[in-house]
């Protein structure tokens, strides 16, 4: 026993005789014990405590002066509707203090479809801006000087045509590609784990990553060739150790891939960047960013770079989306503020703060201004920029930094034993671990063990209905189709076809750089969809296996009388009907965010339902056919990308046409209260928003099934 802690324990026990000191230590979701008190004795085994900012291993920051020299870049991740609308938003935001542009693309663009494709009817302009060609990209950045404004683009699947269109748009603005600054995400491994906006199988996808790293290192020295993202892992339910380990392991795999292509590590490593989520465990998030720099230095040292910059981890951060709640939504402003402070104290290089209404719908101008001002106030009023790494030397933070680094390193070594991240992803190991963590956390919230203010405790008496941004998906799509038709009429079809054929031939061999070929095609006005399809003709389109966990959610309720009661209700239903209640969980459109769907599926299966999970990216017709083939009682539509008003009515209509009126339809996910009546009028029987208690939802659905059968 450490002497100082022993001294404190004696004093604490005397102060409160009934206190059990051991009960004050709790285990974080990462498996790290968190003690009630930390002292200098906790630092005795730790290394690098005497290091300074800008000095290896960069735990205290990659720059010596950090925010004293230059504050973090204030970004706002945004994009919606048309390029015209998004352009106005960007210009207004830049005038109001935003320092860089972060582009959100719609899901049709992410998945390499033009807006006129039949599979994207409900997706165009909904969760981001629709970009079909160079012409859209030119409108998007009209009057935004691309030689002065840093542009970050969250794009992975259709990364080749989107980056090509951006380069050509800049060229036609008079800006040479060598003067472009910013980041393209280009992180495909993460897509196979959690976000699912992939197009091609893993092997050709990794070739695309390498082609972009190679091209940008030679032609675009100010541009970051990849943003290795842990953000979407945490959003999918990972704990912080998993987020850290899997993200750094992804980075290590990309470095290996580039080196295997014959590239010198120093030619590209200094332009790699990272992207982390910042959730509500305040000090753990600070420690995670410090540990990330420490571990990346350790990883990159294996490759023997000569340039010190190759050893530095630089990161963008974004406050958590999954921590935002539909219930009592103004609480989200407070949550985001704490998360932003955590990111800054951890030493991020740039930051996006989420708007409080993003658990409900796309952010409005009002909510976006509050989110942006959160950073402006933090940067200009709190004086946090006056001291570098102010939490250094904290007994708690330093020990936490060491603990999270140690646990993440164990997981990185496990991945190495599997042969690297590509093979680990192929095995399904990372995805499974993340889904387990998500199910455990949901069970903890549903049991009330983890308090969410306004959701499972301290609920408001009345619901707050906030104004939302409504995007007319039909009008946006029609506008995009008109522009596509105009482009195709005005371009030289022969030159376009020749450029696309060169791209196909380039995809067949490793000797050509696909980005270079795509730039030529884009300049000729080939569309995003045409460029993507040309490569798909060679590579094929990836289809993921649908797997479902069992037992993880239910294990948290082993001793719960209420949960057992629900299971008995399911058993009673089974006795009466001769089979268990059967549910099909579906994701329609191009929304690959499947955390909610997976958690619901595993939870309902543990409750006693028979659960089928449909493949991603279904059309309403395909989902209905699955429901009929599996003879289900209920279809659960999981929506996170605002396509519910287009897709849910189509599904209900398909059910009617195919004789499935006995099957009830329910919706869950990010659905504004304002849309509830519309969905009910269309035939949806129940809606379950974020924060829904799953056992309570199961009881409601059982009753609905019973009503539908009577």
């Amino acid at each position: 026993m450490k002497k100082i802690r022993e001294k404190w324990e004696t004093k604490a026990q005397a102060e409160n005789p009934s206190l059990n000191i051991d009960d004050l230590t709790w285990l974080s979701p990462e498996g790290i014990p968190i003690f009630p008190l930390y002292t200098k004795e906790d630092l005795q085994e730790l290394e690098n405590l005497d290091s300074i900012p800008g000095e290896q291993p960069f735990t205290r920051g990659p720059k010596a002066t950090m925010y004293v020299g230059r504050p973090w870049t204030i970004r706002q991740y945004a994009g919606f509707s048309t390029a015209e609308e998004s352009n106005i938003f960007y210009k207004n935001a830049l005038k109001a203090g935003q320092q860089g542009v972060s582009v959100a693309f719609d899901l049709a663009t992410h998945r390499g479809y033009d807006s006129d494709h039949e599979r994207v009817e409900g997706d165009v302009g909904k969760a981001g801006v629709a970009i079909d060609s160079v012409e859209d990209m030119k409108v998007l950045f009209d009057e935004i000087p691309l030689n002065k404004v840093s542009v970050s683009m969250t794009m992975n699947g259709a990364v080749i045509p989107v980056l090509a269109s951006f380069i050509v748009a800049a060229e036609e603005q008079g800006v040479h590609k060598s003067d472009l600054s910013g980041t393209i995400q280009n992180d495909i491994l993460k897509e196979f784990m959690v976000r699912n906006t992939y197009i091609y199988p893993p092997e050709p996808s990794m070739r695309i990553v390498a082609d972009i790293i190679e091209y940008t290192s030679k032609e675009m020295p100010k541009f970051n060739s990849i943003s290795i993202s842990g953000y979407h892992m945490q959003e999918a339910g990972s704990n912080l150790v998993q987020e850290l380990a899997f993200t750094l392991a992804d980075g290590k795999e990309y470095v290996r891939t580039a080196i295997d292509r014959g590239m010198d590590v120093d030619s590209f490593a200094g332009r790699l960047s990272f992207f982390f989520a910042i959730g509500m465990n305040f000090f753990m998030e600070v420690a995670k960013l410090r540990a990330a720099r420490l571990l990346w230095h350790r990883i990159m040292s294996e490759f023997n770079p000569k340039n010190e910059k190759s050893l530095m981890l630089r990161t963008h951060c974004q406050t958590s989306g999954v921590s935002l709640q539909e219930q009592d939504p103004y609480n989200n402003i407070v949550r985001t503020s704490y998360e932003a402070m955590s990111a800054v104290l951890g030493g991020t290089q740039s930051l996006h703060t989420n708007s409080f209404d993003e658990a409900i719908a796309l952010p409005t101008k009002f909510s976006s201004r509050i989110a942006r001002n959160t950073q402006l106030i933090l940067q200009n009023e709190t004086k946090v920029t006056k001291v570098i790494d102010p939490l250094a030397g904290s007994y708690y933070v330093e020990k936490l930094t060491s603990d999270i680094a140690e646990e993440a390193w164990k997981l990185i070594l496990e991945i190495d034993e599997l042969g690297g991240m590509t093979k680990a992803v192929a095995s399904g190991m990372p995805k499974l671990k993340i889904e387990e963590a998500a199910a455990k956390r949901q069970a903890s919230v549903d049991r009330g063990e983890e308090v969410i203010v306004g959701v499972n405790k301290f609920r408001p008496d009345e619901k707050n209905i906030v104004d939302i941004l409504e995007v007319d998906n039909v009008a946006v799509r029609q506008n995009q189709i008109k522009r596509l038709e105009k482009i195709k009429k005005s371009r030289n079809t022969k030159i376009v076809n020749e450029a696309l054929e060169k791209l196909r031939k380039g995809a067949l061999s490793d000797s050509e750089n696909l980005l270079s070929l795509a730039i030529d095609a884009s300049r000729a006005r080939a569309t995003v969809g045409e460029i993507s399809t040309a490569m798909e003709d060679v590579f094929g389109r990836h289809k993921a296996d649908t797997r479902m966990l069992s037992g993880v959610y239910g294990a948290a309720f082993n001793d719960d009388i209420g949960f057992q009661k629900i299971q008995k209700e399911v058993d009673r239903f089974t006795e009466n009907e001769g089979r268990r209640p059967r549910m099909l969980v579906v994701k329609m459109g191009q929304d690959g965010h499947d955390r909610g769907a997976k958690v619901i599926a595993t939870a309902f299966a543990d409750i006693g339902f028979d659960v089928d999970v449909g493949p991603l990216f279904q059309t309403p017709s395909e989902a209905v056919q699955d429901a009929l083939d599996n003879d289900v009682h209920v279809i659960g539509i999981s929506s996170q990308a605002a396509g519910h008003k287009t897709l849910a009515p189509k599904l209900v209509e398909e059910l009617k046409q195919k004789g499935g009126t006995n099957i009830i339809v329910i919706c869950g996910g990010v659905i504004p209260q304002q849309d509830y009546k519309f969905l009910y009028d269309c035939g949806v029987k129940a809606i379950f928003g974020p924060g829904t208690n799953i056992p309570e939802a199961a009881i409601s659905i059982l009753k609905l099934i019973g009503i539908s059968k009577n």
Side-chain angles (χ1 to χ4, degrees), residues 30 67 72-73 228-241 243-244 247 274-293 313-325 332-355 358 374-375 378 391 404 441 450 595:
E30 295 76 21
Y67 306 147
W72 69 92
T73 301
I228 305 150
S229 174
Y231 182 88
H232 302 97
M233 298 178 198
Q234 191 179 140
E235 291 291 282
S238 76
N239 62 48
L240 302 198
V241 163
E243 179 195 8
L244 179 57
T247 304
F274 288 80
F275 175 25
F276 290 106
I278 304 294
M280 286 298 290
N281 193 338
F282 188 92
F283 289 104
M284 187 74 82
E285 292 288 6
V286 172
K288 180 186 75 182
L289 296 185
R290 302 175 91 247
R293 293 190 288 270
L313 180 142
R314 297 164 301 109
T315 189
H316 170 71
C317 290
Q318 180 175 335
T319 59
S320 173
V322 77
S323 73
L324 304 178
Q325 303 297 329
N332 295 333
I333 299 172
V334 182
R335 293 185 178 105
T336 295
S337 299
Y338 287 138
E339 290 168 351
M341 176 67 88
S342 183
V344 168
L345 294 177
T348 189
Q349 277 62 68
S350 67
L351 179 62
H352 164 83
T353 36
N354 288 331
S355 301
E358 287 185 51
T374 299
Q375 289 199 61
L378 192 53
L391 292 182
I404 195 171
R441 183 171 186 265
E450 182 174 343
R595 170 186 176 154

Side-chain angles (χ1 to χ4, degrees), residues 201-221:
E203 188 174 340
S205 294
M206 288 295 288
R207 176 202 168 170
I208 286 170
V209 170
D211 276 5
I212 290 171
I213 293 173
E214 183 180 57
Y215 184 92
T216 53
S217 69
K218 292 176 181 176
E219 307 288 342
M220 302 167 70

Side-chain angles (χ1 to χ4, degrees), residues 582-588 600 609 612 614 618-638 647-648 651-652 654-656 660-668 683-686 688 701 704-705:
R582 193 172 189 103
M583 173 188 285
L584 172 66
V585 179
V586 301
K587 294 285 297 184
M588 294 187 292
I600 289 294
F609 280 61
D612 300 295
Q618 285 191 305
T619 64
S621 179
E622 290 165 345
V624 165
Q625 194 58 55
D626 270 4
L628 294 171
D629 291 345
N630 289 293
D631 193 21
V632 303
H633 296 100
V634 57
I635 299 174
I637 301 170
S638 176
L647 298 170
L651 184 141
V652 173
E654 281 281 339
L655 275 175
K656 289 178 183 176
T661 52
N662 60 315
I663 299 173
I664 65 169
V665 177
I666 63 173
C667 287
V684 172
K685 298 301 181 184
F688 303 98
I701 291 167
L704 285 170
I705 295 172

Side-chain angles (χ1 to χ4, degrees), residues 388-586:
I388 304 160
D389 192 22
L391 292 182
S394 158
Y395 302 140
Y396 180 33
V397 171
E398 295 290 4
K399 183 64 167 65
L400 210 50
T401 299
S402 175
D403 286 347
I404 195 171
E406 184 179 339
E407 292 302 312
W409 190 248
K410 291 177 186 174
L411 195 48
I412 290 168
L413 293 177
E414 186 179 337
I415 292 161
D416 283 346
E417 287 175 7
L418 290 171
M421 203 57 180
T422 302
K423 290 183 178 177
V425 167
S427 76
M429 182 270 274
K431 191 175 185 69
L432 184 65
K433 284 184 180 291
I434 291 171
E435 288 175 3
E436 285 177 351
K440 285 177 181 176
R441 183 171 186 265
Q442 185 63 50
S444 177
V445 172
D446 287 345
R447 282 177 61 91
E449 295 166 350
E450 182 174 343
V451 174
I452 311 289
V453 174
V455 177
N456 62 0
K457 202 171 183 179
F458 312 113
R459 293 177 180 174
D461 295 329
E462 296 180 1
K463 285 190 174 182
N464 286 302
I465 305 297
V466 300
D467 292 333
I468 63 168
L469 176 66
E470 180 76 24
V471 173
D472 187 343
N473 165 242
V474 174
V476 173
R477 188 166 185 252
Q478 287 173 346
N479 180 70
Q480 289 299 118
I481 290 172
K482 285 179 183 176
R483 186 175 287 165
L484 278 166
E485 289 171 348
K486 184 179 178 181
I487 289 167
K488 290 177 180 180
K489 284 179 182 177
S490 62
R491 69 190 185 180
N492 187 317
T493 305
K494 182 174 179 290
I495 293 173
V496 172
N497 289 338
E498 286 173 353
L500 291 172
E501 185 57 30
K502 284 181 182 176
L503 185 59
R504 285 189 196 91
K505 288 179 179 176
L508 284 166
S509 74
D510 292 331
S511 60
E512 300 273 5
N513 187 287
L514 294 175
L515 178 56
S516 180
L517 294 170
I519 290 170
D520 293 337
S522 186
R523 196 178 286 121
R525 289 324 189 249
T527 68
V528 167
E530 288 170 336
I531 293 170
S532 294
T533 300
M535 291 185 289
E536 186 181 338
D537 291 341
V538 178
F539 299 147
R541 185 170 280 265
H542 180 69
K543 291 183 180 178
D545 292 330
T546 302
R547 301 182 186 179
M548 193 174 74
L549 286 172
S550 63
V552 175
Y553 182 89
F557 290 88
N558 279 339
D559 58 347
D560 190 286
I561 295 172
F563 192 80
Q564 292 168 2
K565 187 178 177 182
I566 298 168
Q567 289 178 314
K568 286 178 181 175
E569 288 292 323
V570 172
D571 290 340
R572 190 175 295 112
F573 178 96
T574 305
E575 280 181 30
N576 294 336
E577 298 295 324
R579 63 179 181 129
R580 294 188 173 278
R582 193 172 189 103
M583 173 188 285
L584 172 66
V585 179
V586 301

Side-chain angles (χ1 to χ4, degrees), residues 206-207 210 252-262 422:
M206 288 295 288
R207 176 202 168 170
K252 187 176 183 178
E253 190 81 342
Y254 295 133
V255 171
R256 281 177 178 155
T257 300
I259 290 172
D260 288 345
R261 285 281 295 269
T422 302

